Amino acid sequence: MQKKHVLAVATLAALSVSSVAGAQVIQPDLFGLGQQHVYVMSNGIDGNAVAVLRRNRSGGLDKVGTYRTGGKGVGVGTTAPPPDPLGSQNALLLSDDGHLLFAVNAGSHQVSTFLVLGDYLELVDVTDSGGTYPVSIAQRGDRLFVLNSAEQANVTAFRIGLFGNLSKVPGGSRVIGTDEPLVNGQPNVGNTASQLQFDRTGRWLAVSVKDSRDRGYVETFGVDRSGNLAKDPAITPTDDAAAFGFTFDAQNHLLLSDGALNAVSSFSIGPRGDLTAISPPVADGQKATCWLDANGHLVYTASAGTNTLSSYRVDGAGRLTLIDGAAADLGAGHATTDIKFSRDGKSLYVNAPGTGTVKAFQVHADGQLVPLGETQVFGAGTGTQGLAAQ
């Protein structure tokens, strides 16, 4: 996909760099193409939107624009208390090459695609998600996969076109083992799938699933060379009812946040996609530990119930050690949710829908977090979810 989309921004990039008599002259960065950005989704019930935040010289964020997705979110939700109406991670996703941004519209059961042009976003496609209540997105090459978490939950595959338009892959949907009905436009997110993401090899697509009546689990689909999913996944039960956000470390161990136990677990992936536990749940002492991201040997979680971030260390064998259960305290009312590293791993960003802000931190090698400021993005308590970073 990189070759396809690099041409789409080449013309605009050329406006920033020119050559005169063999010497390169740098022109003003009119489009912000040389900047790094963070993106946040409003999840607005009357019209979803994505805000663009530019990283400034101090490492903090400045809001530079807001762009409508063409679909609808669900606001603060109706069947679960704020701040978690989607019950998910990766509701907003940058493509691997950074040229496209994908957003779910849970209220209208659609997915939107934007072309990323520095400070600007260009809406290029809005399409049916292939199911009900889309909450998470994964991408690899020219394939996009959307997790629909309500009613008969599924993963639906799309092919990404030359300019970011999406088309469903025939026979590309796979059923997930949940069937939560919509109640006033929202399912019970305590019993729905949370996230999907590729492992580092691209051979596996994992889906975390919550089940408040028993134990959560992870479904792992094999992926063939054409990008097609296996018909049936390997299913691994977890120790926690709320199998929530996850990622893969540098050695491809799956690191999972346990939202009910307020902990993190680690797993290795077997040759058939089955998971083997490495570290059982390592508790952080916080409440509602649901969101997680990792950078090398450092792992951070966000806990909505205590407005805190916790830090862990993961070794080369996938073993977890808690560094600090309260590595950062955002303060009462923030309702800390989504968390994402910048792609260079030097900064960490946290969505706080309770205040409608995004908090930025510098990350030290020992796990210490240094606050870099807080940026107002949307209204407080309006249900913002989804976070992506360059």
Side-chain angles (χ1 to χ4, degrees):
M1 192 176 73
Q2 292 181 350
K3 292 182 180 179
K4 291 182 179 180
H5 297 296
V6 71
L7 295 176
V9 295
T11 302
L12 289 173
L15 295 176
S16 298
V17 180
S18 63
S19 179
V20 178
Q24 190 180 68
V25 178
I26 305 300
Q27 302 294 338
D29 190 7
L30 300 177
F31 296 93
L33 293 173
Q35 301 288 330
Q36 292 180 312
H37 298 81
V38 172
Y39 307 92
V40 188
M41 190 173 71
S42 74
N43 190 35
I45 195 168
D46 295 321
N48 198 6
V50 175
V52 180
L53 311 177
R54 183 196 288 173
R55 294 174 65 181
N56 57 41
R57 291 182 179 179
S58 67
L61 300 172
D62 297 314
K63 183 178 178 181
V64 294
T66 303
Y67 299 87
R68 292 197 172 270
T69 67
K72 293 184 178 181
V74 296
V76 295
T78 56
T79 63
D84 188 25
L86 299 186
S88 74
Q89 186 167 290
N90 286 359
L92 192 64
L93 185 77
L94 271 170
S95 62
D96 291 338
D97 62 15
H99 295 153
L100 295 174
L101 182 71
F102 304 100
V104 301
N105 301 295
S108 55
H109 318 303
Q110 296 170 313
V111 179
S112 297
T113 307
F114 292 96
L115 183 64
V116 177
L117 303 171
D119 288 348
Y120 301 89
L121 296 176
E122 179 71 25
L123 182 64
V124 295
D125 191 57
V126 184
T127 190
D128 178 86
S129 67
T132 303
Y133 212 78
V135 296
S136 187
I137 304 169
Q139 175 261 331
R140 192 170 184 87
D142 68 349
R143 294 293 176 96
L144 187 80
F145 294 86
V146 179
L147 176 61
N148 294 287
S149 69
E151 297 179 345
Q152 189 178 60
N154 70 45
V155 174
T156 296
F158 295 85
R159 183 169 286 105
I160 304 170
L162 179 61
F163 299 106
N165 55 299
L166 302 179
S167 57
K168 289 181 185 176
V169 174
S173 291
R174 298 292 182 269
V175 173
I176 303 297
T178 62
D179 191 1
E180 285 295 313
L182 291 175
V183 178
N184 297 322
Q186 183 188 14
N188 178 353
V189 296
N191 297 315
T192 57
S194 308
Q195 180 190 342
L196 76 169
Q197 184 170 318
F198 282 96
D199 78 327
R200 289 186 175 272
T201 71
R203 291 179 55 202
W204 306 105
L205 181 66
V207 183
S208 55
V209 184
K210 305 179 293 289
D211 186 351
S212 64
R213 296 153 295 201
D214 191 9
R215 289 196 293 170
Y217 50 94
V218 177
E219 299 193 6
T220 312
F221 290 90
V223 185
D224 68 20
R225 293 183 179 180
S226 298
N228 300 311
L229 300 184
K231 181 179 179 181
D232 298 308
I235 300 177
T236 305
T238 69
D239 290 327
D240 189 46
F244 211 103
F246 66 91
T247 193
F248 294 89
D249 69 6
Q251 283 69 44
N252 208 36
H253 303 117
L254 190 150
L255 310 175
L256 174 70
S257 61
D258 300 304
L261 294 175
N262 304 305
V264 178
S265 305
S266 62
F267 303 84
S268 61
I269 308 176
R272 294 181 176 83
D274 52 308
L275 303 181
T276 299
I278 301 171
S279 285
V282 180
D284 58 18
Q286 307 304 304
K287 295 181 179 179
T289 300
C290 296
W291 296 268
L292 176 150
D293 202 7
N295 172 37
H297 63 282
L298 294 175
V299 185
Y300 293 88
T301 58
S303 300
T306 44
N307 306 292
T308 51
L309 306 183
S310 299
S311 57
Y312 291 80
R313 189 176 303 276
V314 59
D315 68 15
R319 294 182 294 257
L320 290 161
T321 303
L322 179 68
I323 300 174
D324 190 344
D329 187 341
L330 275 68
H334 277 75
T336 308
T337 59
D338 295 333
I339 183 172
K340 280 290 184 296
F341 271 102
S342 58
R343 291 196 172 186
D344 62 12
K346 296 179 180 179
S347 301
L348 188 68
Y349 301 100
V350 186
N351 184 32
T355 54
T357 59
V358 172
K359 190 93 169 183
F361 294 90
Q362 184 183 68
V363 183
H364 286 191
D366 63 357
Q368 180 184 1
L369 297 176
V370 178
L372 296 176
E374 187 169 8
T375 306
Q376 193 71 45
V377 184
F378 293 111
T382 55
T384 64
Q385 285 202 270
L387 188 68
Q390 291 177 321

